[in-house]
Amino acid sequence: MTKTSDKHVGLSAAQEAEIQELREARSTTRRATVSALEEVLYDPIPVLDHGFVRVIDYMGDDSAIVQAARVSYGKGTKHTRGDAGLIGYLMRHRHTTPFEMCEIKFHVKLPIFVARQWIRHRTANVNEYSARYSVLDKEFYIPAPEHLAAQSTANRQGRGGVLEGEEAARVLDLLRQDAELCYEHYEEMLNEREDGSTVREGRAGLARELARMNLPLNIYTQWYWKCDLHNLLHFVALRADPHAQYEIRAYADAILKVLHLWVPIATAAFVNQVMEGASLSGPALRVVRQMIAGQAPTQEESGMSKREWDELMQALGRDA
Amino acid sequence: MTKTSDKHVGLSAAQEAEIQELREARSTTRRATVSALEEVLYDPIPVLDHGFVRVIDYMGDDSAIVQAARVSYGKGTKHTRGDAGLIGYLMRHRHTTPFEMCEIKFHVKLPIFVARQWIRHRTANVNEYSARYSVLDKEFYIPAPEHLAAQSTANRQGRGGVLEGEEAARVLDLLRQDAELCYEHYEEMLNEREDGSTVREGRAGLARELARMNLPLNIYTQWYWKCDLHNLLHFVALRADPHAQYEIRAYADAILKVLHLWVPIATAAFVNQVMEGASLSGPALRVVRQMIAGQAPTQEESGMSKREWDELMQALGRDA
Amino acid sequence: MTKTSDKHVGLSAAQEAEIQELREARSTTRRATVSALEEVLYDPIPVLDHGFVRVIDYMGDDSAIVQAARVSYGKGTKHTRGDAGLIGYLMRHRHTTPFEMCEIKFHVKLPIFVARQWIRHRTANVNEYSARYSVLDKEFYIPAPEHLAAQSTANRQGRGGVLEGEEAARVLDLLRQDAELCYEHYEEMLNEREDGSTVREGRAGLARELARMNLPLNIYTQWYWKCDLHNLLHFVALRADPHAQYEIRAYADAILKVLHLWVPIATAAFVNQVMEGASLSGPALRVVRQMIAGQAPTQEESGMSKREWDELMQALGRDA
Amino acid sequence: MTKTSDKHVGLSAAQEAEIQELREARSTTRRATVSALEEVLYDPIPVLDHGFVRVIDYMGDDSAIVQAARVSYGKGTKHTRGDAGLIGYLMRHRHTTPFEMCEIKFHVKLPIFVARQWIRHRTANVNEYSARYSVLDKEFYIPAPEHLAAQSTANRQGRGGVLEGEEAARVLDLLRQDAELCYEHYEEMLNEREDGSTVREGRAGLARELARMNLPLNIYTQWYWKCDLHNLLHFVALRADPHAQYEIRAYADAILKVLHLWVPIATAAFVNQVMEGASLSGPALRVVRQMIAGQAPTQEESGMSKREWDELMQALGRDA
């Protein structure tokens, strides 16, 4: 994880200056403090070509989870297992409320089509840059060649192989040209350029809230986004999953790295239990029991669909 | 409110057929039923140039609000005031939980930039058409000439006068041309046209989840959206407000009409109390008291800012 | 499931009359209607000694889940698998939003200590009988002898064997006597008896909101409670679980029966996937793979705690 | 606000020791820090006879609200008004999302009947002391004589004058005796005293989750409770209101004091706008306009109910 802010990362000069100032400020606090996270506080972690994630503030640490869980146990509790044991137990048994006692706030820069997936996570707080008030920056997401995936033919939601040669070149040309053209017309309709200058004297300029509708979905927006740890882990579980679109997965991966710095015990338990684990249905458990007993159950006998069967075999490392 | 579905309204042929079938089906139910709402069930109410709102399902009526409120009063209650009196009291005193006992589900077709404002209302349920799975229809919002507003110079968020003449014509040309061009390139990148035909043999086609990023924010999407009455009234209060962008206001106005059919007593109380009412601060109340007493308080003496003072004078019908 | 209302079930005469009236009313609707659920609409299902659950209203059915899921797939979808296949897929992959499109409203009578567990489910709407306004009925939960469990010595949260003989008799006596005494003093403080008569002329009577604090946690309260299907399934998963306290499990079991009537396909998928399934961690999956390969992994080698290991062996039907 | 922890405040010795330790720890942080709040961090603020509120952690300050609001304005904003002006504007126009960017966590000790009102605020996180796991402390709320209110005869929800003389004495005796008796029987059923000793050898003891049902609603519980600033202000608006029950108002008042330390600008705007303000309906605004114009509108002409009219006259300082 880089710790140096980077002009390529899509920060404005004003934001760079603000970050510098905040990084240098120090206060004394009685609050729970996580030094590994303090190290990267305010620093943008680059994601995609112009995006970033940076931590703006946080509340609580692994101990806050333990502390909240132990409220339930009261005075009579014998603290026989350590924090890791207790947190693992909570994670395994979906005792989720103690994880809600930690909170984190990010500043994120992301393409609008990613923002539209992200915002579906409702138990969070968000303040987004408003294109009703302000002119959007001229920054568009253009995939790196290795992420220029073809439509999967097997899976209607998925990606197939990577586009190559002329087809890839054409796609990149189209994305760049259309973004360029739409933004130029955005400025013309506004009658105002990105640098604040007027396009043509004597024109009124279309309202910002209208002109923005000409911009494509790969333009970058930014927001402050605040979430508790339980809901953030749920976000990561869904969005760092192989079924998630690559572009949001890149953000989820960056957040997962932040989680390892912030709450290392909870994050380890989460990776162990959720990211690397699997949920087995009743019929799937019966199949597993039969296989352990040396039997050779078949999909037909199992009562499972072909698709569910294949998923189980994959979880058991028995991909056809 | 139109009751006839309309081919200009942006429904596919399959959707038209489904609506027709549902409209003709009848069941017997013991549930609370609102005949005025049944009349328009499933019918699209046109909004903007290709959008609509239509009611898909609902639960409860004005009586359900009363019933829930009266749980609190128990056996000893004298039912001295009627339903309208009780609902008015609940609305006035922000006793909001009884309004949560009613629920409604809409099917909405709307431009993406409107969808991005709408989705900020988090206490609701939504399933949106996925451009990862499916090719989006070629339908874009192009403002009617009378809604082609200039940027306000007084208010950074607002609209000024309407663009006219050559400037208006140019804006409409740009919006139409760019939408046309971006969609054509969307099809080319997908290597698949809206009608399902292949653009060029021998190409793989870019993944749908990537190609869609070339589409502008005025393309239409659609979703099922379900909300309880309390949160829906809050939506209408914010989005049918003169400060809301015209395009989402058009949807909020359509929903307000539906509300009058569904829960006429609650809606009348809401319009009376919230839409036509105003919140006065402590200092504003003091100014009002002085004015009633025949005094002539000034902004300077009031402790109110110029802006707050102006807002108060406007609420009192004393606009400068 | 009983379909006849029953005076022992804890309904007041006024509630009985209202139910009778509602049961007889019939309306014609275009909405999705579930005849098996209509059969039991308004009928109290007895739970514990004086409690009940009854369905007051509902919205949607299994088809509403499918309809919402298919919005995502758009026009190009081949409907190759049936509703059950699609719902099973959604359940297995935790695609939870389509389940939110169904909504149900219950009237529940329950002891306060159960209500305190229940209310922790936040994504729901509730209106409770208010002891600030009304005098609470003289009804207390007294466990049936077979539910008079001893404290578990193995598990600090759990129950052990059933109390018997003199100890059981003494517990029941204490619970009955204290409830009786506290209620009598509640009436005395209020200076008002359950039947509305005055206890002693010339006294003012303590405010209801204060007098109720003398009542024990096993007194019954009642509420209207409305929830979407996704959150209701989560409620059932946690509260019909063997780790849940018996008294709330009795309510969750009654709700599960209602679910089988209302949304039989979704409920079957839920029971299959969640109730009868298990979540395996990464290390647990490795152990399973080793066992299938005929190896005999040990807890020590597995990286799992003793407790996690035991839970896994139990899920695999290998309890020590 | 007291800064000294106090043995009468209902803290256990272990909690006292933990507070002392936390109070002495100091860390360096780059996060926004509020020194006035740091002063009282971890200190219990006494409420009622054995309850308290203490701040355990917090995130953000007044500047965090401003920072979030200004994301919307982007690079082109002229920062012409100061933080107080902006926060006042946000509060007045119900732009609530920036207030969600601040978060605070409390440890609260409170009677169960107060906890039951408090928990109705759903947008918060909570971990409560579990009486399934642990034996509850022998602490009950007994009102101070000046809060021993009679039932209001005018208002079914409210309190009238204070009980006096023999009636007051009898109420206090009953509350104390019943609490004492119920707790004694709780210990007997558990077969375990508050100090951990066994009541009678050879008995199994009733499960904790069952025995607790004998305890009255004025027994104290405790929890960790975390909430964002927007929802906390809503809590205070409802619970510090004169219509709220005195006992929860005492907690809301304590929290309001904390808010003045933590976010003084936002709290001043809130008091000004919400606590000291009033919402006027459309008809009420018309009446105010007529009164300012020197007319003498009557309730009959106004279209307002008697009750709404009286509330308006009270807001205008014209109580009959």
Side-chain angles (χ1 to χ4, degrees):
Chain A
M1 188 176 307
T2 179
K3 288 187 194 168
T4 52
S5 86
D6 179 342
K7 72 184 188 322
H8 300 302
V9 113
L11 285 165
S12 67
Q15 287 175 329
E16 291 272 8
E18 186 201 334
I19 289 171
Q20 204 49 44
E21 191 183 333
L22 288 167
R23 282 195 57 77
E24 283 164 15
R26 293 285 185 288
S27 300
T28 297
T29 186
R30 286 189 176 116
R31 289 173 291 171
T33 301
V34 181
S35 59
L37 190 60
E38 293 275 340
E39 281 290 305
V40 301
L41 208 62
Y42 304 119
D43 284 341
I45 303 165
V47 184
L48 304 183
D49 53 352
H50 300 290
F52 59 77
V53 167
R54 62 191 189 103
V55 181
I56 296 297
D57 208 344
Y58 68 95
M59 174 201 272
D61 56 7
D62 276 323
S63 297
I65 302 164
V66 170
Q67 180 187 47
R70 290 211 160 118
V71 170
S72 300
Y73 296 83
K75 62 184 173 186
T77 314
K78 300 177 206 73
H79 290 193
T80 47
R81 57 182 150 189
D83 289 1
L86 176 55
I87 287 176
Y89 174 85
L90 297 172
M91 187 70 72
R92 211 157 65 242
H93 290 271
R94 315 286 182 214
H95 290 186
T96 58
T97 55
F99 297 97
E100 297 177 13
M101 288 293 157
C102 296
E103 191 91 14
I104 193 163
K105 184 165 64 172
F106 295 103
H107 179 196
V108 187
K109 187 165 183 178
L110 71 178
I112 285 179
F113 72 92
V114 174
R116 298 219 322 123
Q117 296 181 336
W118 191 309
I119 200 76
R120 296 302 317 281
H121 295 263
R122 289 162 291 186
T123 309
N125 314 107
V126 58
N127 282 100
E128 185 177 353
Y129 187 94
S130 170
R132 294 185 72 195
Y133 286 86
S134 302
V135 177
L136 281 166
D137 288 330
K138 189 178 176 177
E139 285 179 316
F140 299 87
Y141 169 62
I142 305 294
E146 66 269 27
H147 295 302
L148 218 56
Q151 177 64 30
S152 166
T153 49
N155 181 338
R156 301 187 58 257
Q157 186 183 3
R159 296 187 180 189
V162 172
L163 295 190
E164 294 186 341
E166 193 199 351
E167 187 174 1
R170 176 66 178 156
V171 162
L172 292 175
D173 280 354
L174 289 176
L175 288 173
R176 282 195 200 100
Q177 286 167 18
D178 287 354
E180 192 78 31
L181 186 76
C182 287
Y183 195 88
E184 192 182 303
H185 291 161
Y186 171 62
E187 291 179 317
E188 184 179 342
M189 289 190 284
L190 288 173
N191 199 33
E192 177 183 351
R193 291 197 199 84
E194 199 190 6
D195 63 8
S197 64
T198 298
V199 175
R200 188 165 155 184
E201 291 302 327
R203 288 206 160 164
L206 186 65
R208 284 172 189 151
E209 66 182 29
L210 285 173
R212 50 120 168 227
M213 80 171 80
N214 203 54
L215 295 168
L217 287 161
N218 60 343
I219 196 166
Y220 275 89
T221 183
Q222 49 184 291
W223 60 32
Y224 278 59
W225 188 75
K226 175 170 149 287
C227 191
D228 69 58
L229 177 58
H230 163 59
N231 282 286
L232 187 59
L233 291 175
H234 187 63
F235 175 92
V236 171
L238 294 183
R239 303 304 180 177
D241 185 273
H243 291 92
Q245 180 164 356
Y246 163 73
E247 282 74 20
I248 196 165
R249 221 161 62 219
Y251 287 88
D253 288 344
I255 287 175
L256 184 54
K257 283 180 193 152
V258 168
L259 284 169
H260 279 294
L261 297 177
W262 178 31
V263 281
I265 299 175
T267 306
F270 165 73
V271 169
N272 181 295
Q273 189 66 37
V274 179
M275 300 288 285
E276 299 178 351
S279 283
L280 271 54
S281 68
L285 278 176
R286 281 193 292 278
V287 166
V288 165
R289 289 176 192 183
Q290 292 171 327
M291 291 172 77
I292 289 175
Q295 301 166 25
T298 65
Q299 183 234 315
E300 290 69 24
E301 297 160 0
S302 71
M304 296 164 72
S305 70
K306 176 75 170 62
R307 185 155 187 172
E308 192 183 354
W309 178 270
D310 290 347
E311 290 168 4
L312 174 62
M313 290 306 124
Q314 193 178 5
L316 298 176
R318 308 203 143 209
D319 309 51
Chain B
M1 186 177 303
T2 180
K3 286 186 196 169
T4 53
S5 83
D6 180 340
K7 70 185 190 324
H8 300 301
V9 111
L11 286 165
S12 67
Q15 287 175 329
E16 292 270 7
E18 185 202 334
I19 289 171
Q20 203 50 42
E21 190 183 336
L22 288 167
R23 281 194 58 76
E24 283 164 16
R26 293 285 184 288
S27 302
T28 297
T29 186
R30 286 190 176 115
R31 289 173 290 171
T33 301
V34 180
S35 58
L37 191 60
E38 293 275 340
E39 281 289 306
V40 301
L41 209 63
Y42 305 119
D43 285 341
I45 303 165
V47 184
L48 303 182
D49 51 354
H50 299 290
F52 60 77
V53 167
R54 61 190 190 105
V55 180
I56 296 298
D57 208 344
Y58 68 94
M59 174 200 272
D61 57 6
D62 277 322
S63 296
I65 303 165
V66 170
Q67 181 187 45
R70 290 213 161 117
V71 170
S72 300
Y73 296 82
K75 62 184 173 186
T77 314
K78 300 176 206 76
H79 289 192
T80 48
R81 57 181 150 190
D83 289 1
L86 177 56
I87 287 176
Y89 174 84
L90 297 172
M91 187 69 72
R92 211 157 65 242
H93 288 271
R94 315 284 182 216
H95 291 185
T96 58
T97 56
F99 296 97
E100 297 176 13
M101 288 292 156
C102 296
E103 191 91 13
I104 193 162
K105 184 165 62 171
F106 295 102
H107 179 197
V108 188
K109 186 165 184 179
L110 70 179
I112 285 180
F113 71 92
V114 174
R116 299 223 315 127
Q117 297 181 336
W118 192 307
I119 201 74
R120 297 301 318 280
H121 295 262
R122 290 162 290 186
T123 309
N125 314 109
V126 58
N127 282 101
E128 186 177 353
Y129 187 96
S130 170
R132 294 186 71 194
Y133 286 87
S134 302
V135 178
L136 282 166
D137 288 328
K138 189 178 177 176
E139 286 179 314
F140 299 88
Y141 169 62
I142 306 294
E146 66 269 26
H147 295 302
L148 217 57
Q151 177 65 30
S152 166
T153 50
N155 181 337
R156 300 186 60 255
Q157 185 183 3
R159 295 186 178 189
V162 172
L163 293 191
E164 294 185 341
E166 193 200 350
E167 186 173 2
R170 175 68 178 154
V171 162
L172 292 175
D173 281 352
L174 290 175
L175 288 173
R176 283 195 199 101
Q177 286 167 17
D178 287 355
E180 192 78 31
L181 185 77
C182 287
Y183 194 88
E184 192 182 303
H185 291 160
Y186 171 62
E187 291 178 317
E188 183 179 343
M189 290 190 284
L190 288 173
N191 199 34
E192 177 184 350
R193 291 197 199 85
E194 199 190 7
D195 63 10
S197 63
T198 298
V199 175
R200 188 166 156 184
E201 292 302 327
R203 288 208 159 162
L206 186 65
R208 285 174 189 149
E209 65 182 29
L210 285 173
R212 50 116 170 231
M213 82 170 78
N214 202 54
L215 295 169
L217 287 161
N218 60 343
I219 197 167
Y220 275 88
T221 185
Q222 49 185 291
W223 61 33
Y224 279 59
W225 188 75
K226 175 171 149 288
C227 191
D228 70 57
L229 177 57
H230 164 58
N231 281 286
L232 186 59
L233 291 175
H234 187 63
F235 175 91
V236 171
L238 293 183
R239 303 306 180 177
D241 185 272
H243 292 93
Q245 181 164 354
Y246 163 74
E247 282 74 19
I248 197 165
R249 221 161 62 219
Y251 287 88
D253 288 345
I255 287 175
L256 184 54
K257 283 178 194 154
V258 168
L259 285 169
H260 279 294
L261 296 176
W262 178 32
V263 281
I265 299 176
T267 306
F270 166 72
V271 168
N272 181 294
Q273 189 67 36
V274 178
M275 300 287 284
E276 299 178 349
S279 283
L280 271 54
S281 68
L285 278 176
R286 282 193 290 278
V287 165
V288 166
R289 289 174 190 185
Q290 291 170 328
M291 290 171 78
I292 288 174
Q295 300 167 27
T298 65
Q299 182 236 315
E300 289 70 23
E301 296 160 2
S302 70
M304 296 163 73
S305 71
K306 176 74 171 64
R307 185 156 187 172
E308 192 185 354
W309 178 268
D310 289 347
E311 290 168 3
L312 175 61
M313 290 305 126
Q314 192 177 7
L316 298 176
R318 309 205 143 208
D319 311 51
Chain C
M1 187 177 306
T2 179
K3 288 186 194 168
T4 52
S5 83
D6 179 339
K7 72 185 189 323
H8 301 302
V9 113
L11 286 166
S12 67
Q15 286 175 329
E16 292 272 6
E18 185 201 333
I19 290 172
Q20 203 49 42
E21 191 184 336
L22 288 167
R23 280 194 59 77
E24 284 163 14
R26 293 285 185 290
S27 301
T28 297
T29 186
R30 286 189 177 115
R31 290 174 290 172
T33 301
V34 180
S35 58
L37 191 60
E38 293 275 340
E39 281 289 306
V40 301
L41 208 62
Y42 304 121
D43 284 341
I45 302 164
V47 184
L48 303 182
D49 52 353
H50 300 290
F52 59 77
V53 167
R54 62 191 190 104
V55 180
I56 296 297
D57 208 345
Y58 69 94
M59 174 201 272
D61 56 7
D62 276 322
S63 297
I65 302 165
V66 171
Q67 182 187 45
R70 290 211 160 118
V71 170
S72 299
Y73 296 82
K75 61 185 174 187
T77 314
K78 302 177 205 74
H79 289 192
T80 48
R81 58 182 148 188
D83 290 1
L86 176 55
I87 287 176
Y89 174 84
L90 298 173
M91 187 70 72
R92 212 157 65 242
H93 289 272
R94 315 285 183 215
H95 290 186
T96 57
T97 56
F99 297 96
E100 296 177 14
M101 287 293 157
C102 297
E103 190 91 14
I104 194 163
K105 183 165 65 172
F106 295 102
H107 179 196
V108 188
K109 187 164 183 178
L110 71 179
I112 284 180
F113 71 93
V114 174
R116 299 223 317 126
Q117 297 181 335
W118 192 308
I119 200 74
R120 296 303 316 282
H121 295 262
R122 290 162 289 185
T123 309
N125 313 108
V126 58
N127 282 101
E128 185 177 354
Y129 187 94
S130 169
R132 294 185 72 195
Y133 285 86
S134 301
V135 177
L136 282 166
D137 287 329
K138 189 177 176 178
E139 286 179 314
F140 299 87
Y141 169 62
I142 305 293
E146 65 269 28
H147 295 301
L148 218 57
Q151 178 64 31
S152 166
T153 49
N155 181 337
R156 299 186 60 257
Q157 186 184 2
R159 294 186 180 190
V162 172
L163 294 191
E164 293 185 342
E166 192 199 353
E167 186 173 1
R170 175 67 178 155
V171 162
L172 291 176
D173 280 352
L174 289 176
L175 289 172
R176 283 195 200 100
Q177 286 168 17
D178 287 353
E180 192 77 32
L181 185 76
C182 287
Y183 196 87
E184 191 182 304
H185 291 160
Y186 171 61
E187 291 179 316
E188 183 179 343
M189 290 190 284
L190 289 173
N191 199 35
E192 179 185 350
R193 292 197 197 84
E194 200 190 5
D195 63 10
S197 65
T198 299
V199 176
R200 187 165 156 185
E201 292 302 327
R203 288 208 160 162
L206 186 65
R208 286 173 188 149
E209 66 182 28
L210 286 172
R212 52 121 167 227
M213 81 171 79
N214 202 55
L215 295 168
L217 287 161
N218 61 343
I219 196 166
Y220 276 89
T221 184
Q222 48 184 293
W223 59 33
Y224 279 60
W225 188 76
K226 175 171 149 287
C227 191
D228 69 58
L229 177 57
H230 163 59
N231 281 286
L232 186 59
L233 291 175
H234 188 63
F235 175 91
V236 171
L238 294 184
R239 303 305 180 176
D241 186 272
H243 292 93
Q245 181 163 356
Y246 162 74
E247 282 74 18
I248 196 165
R249 221 160 62 218
Y251 287 88
D253 289 344
I255 287 175
L256 184 55
K257 283 178 194 155
V258 168
L259 284 168
H260 279 294
L261 297 176
W262 178 32
V263 281
I265 300 175
T267 306
F270 165 72
V271 169
N272 182 293
Q273 190 65 37
V274 179
M275 299 287 285
E276 298 178 351
S279 284
L280 271 53
S281 68
L285 278 176
R286 282 192 291 278
V287 165
V288 165
R289 290 175 190 184
Q290 291 170 329
M291 291 171 77
I292 288 175
Q295 300 166 25
T298 64
Q299 183 236 315
E300 290 68 24
E301 297 160 1
S302 71
M304 295 163 73
S305 71
K306 176 74 170 62
R307 185 156 186 171
E308 192 185 353
W309 178 268
D310 290 347
E311 290 168 4
L312 175 61
M313 290 306 126
Q314 192 178 6
L316 298 176
R318 311 202 141 210
D319 311 51
Chain D
M1 188 178 304
T2 179
K3 288 187 197 168
T4 52
S5 84
D6 179 341
K7 71 185 188 325
H8 299 301
V9 112
L11 286 165
S12 67
Q15 287 175 329
E16 292 271 7
E18 186 202 333
I19 291 171
Q20 203 50 42
E21 191 183 335
L22 288 167
R23 281 194 58 77
E24 283 164 15
R26 292 287 185 286
S27 302
T28 297
T29 187
R30 285 189 176 115
R31 289 173 291 171
T33 302
V34 180
S35 59
L37 191 60
E38 293 275 341
E39 281 288 306
V40 301
L41 209 61
Y42 305 119
D43 284 341
I45 303 165
V47 184
L48 303 182
D49 52 353
H50 299 290
F52 59 78
V53 167
R54 61 192 190 102
V55 181
I56 296 297
D57 208 344
Y58 68 95
M59 174 201 272
D61 57 7
D62 277 322
S63 296
I65 303 165
V66 170
Q67 182 187 45
R70 289 211 161 117
V71 170
S72 300
Y73 295 83
K75 62 184 173 187
T77 314
K78 301 175 205 75
H79 289 193
T80 48
R81 57 182 149 188
D83 289 1
L86 176 56
I87 287 176
Y89 174 84
L90 297 172
M91 187 67 74
R92 212 158 64 243
H93 289 270
R94 315 284 182 215
H95 291 186
T96 57
T97 56
F99 296 97
E100 296 176 14
M101 288 292 156
C102 296
E103 191 91 13
I104 193 162
K105 184 164 62 171
F106 294 102
H107 179 196
V108 187
K109 186 164 184 178
L110 72 178
I112 284 180
F113 71 93
V114 174
R116 300 223 314 127
Q117 297 181 335
W118 192 308
I119 200 74
R120 295 303 317 280
H121 295 262
R122 290 162 290 185
T123 309
N125 314 108
V126 58
N127 282 100
E128 185 177 353
Y129 187 94
S130 169
R132 294 186 72 194
Y133 285 86
S134 302
V135 177
L136 282 166
D137 287 329
K138 188 177 177 177
E139 286 178 314
F140 299 88
Y141 169 62
I142 305 293
E146 66 270 26
H147 295 301
L148 218 57
Q151 177 65 29
S152 167
T153 49
N155 180 338
R156 300 187 60 256
Q157 186 183 3
R159 295 187 178 189
V162 172
L163 294 191
E164 293 185 341
E166 194 200 351
E167 186 172 3
R170 175 66 179 157
V171 162
L172 292 175
D173 280 353
L174 289 176
L175 288 172
R176 281 194 201 101
Q177 286 168 18
D178 287 354
E180 191 77 32
L181 185 77
C182 288
Y183 195 88
E184 192 181 303
H185 291 159
Y186 170 64
E187 292 179 316
E188 183 179 343
M189 290 189 285
L190 288 172
N191 199 34
E192 178 184 350
R193 291 198 199 83
E194 199 189 6
D195 63 10
S197 63
T198 299
V199 175
R200 188 166 155 183
E201 292 302 329
R203 288 208 159 161
L206 186 65
R208 283 172 192 152
E209 65 182 28
L210 285 173
R212 51 122 166 224
M213 81 171 79
N214 203 54
L215 295 167
L217 287 161
N218 61 342
I219 197 166
Y220 275 89
T221 184
Q222 49 185 290
W223 60 33
Y224 279 59
W225 189 75
K226 175 170 150 290
C227 191
D228 69 58
L229 177 57
H230 163 59
N231 282 286
L232 186 58
L233 291 174
H234 188 64
F235 175 92
V236 171
L238 294 184
R239 303 306 181 177
D241 185 271
H243 292 92
Q245 180 163 356
Y246 163 74
E247 282 74 19
I248 197 165
R249 222 160 62 217
Y251 287 88
D253 289 344
I255 286 175
L256 184 54
K257 283 179 192 154
V258 168
L259 284 168
H260 279 294
L261 296 175
W262 178 31
V263 282
I265 299 175
T267 306
F270 165 72
V271 169
N272 181 295
Q273 189 66 35
V274 179
M275 300 288 284
E276 299 179 350
S279 284
L280 271 53
S281 67
L285 278 175
R286 282 194 290 279
V287 165
V288 165
R289 289 175 191 183
Q290 292 170 328
M291 290 171 77
I292 289 175
Q295 300 166 25
T298 65
Q299 182 235 317
E300 290 70 24
E301 296 160 2
S302 71
M304 296 164 71
S305 71
K306 177 73 172 64
R307 186 156 185 172
E308 191 184 354
W309 178 269
D310 289 348
E311 289 168 5
L312 175 61
M313 290 305 125
Q314 193 178 6
L316 298 175
R318 308 204 143 208
D319 311 51

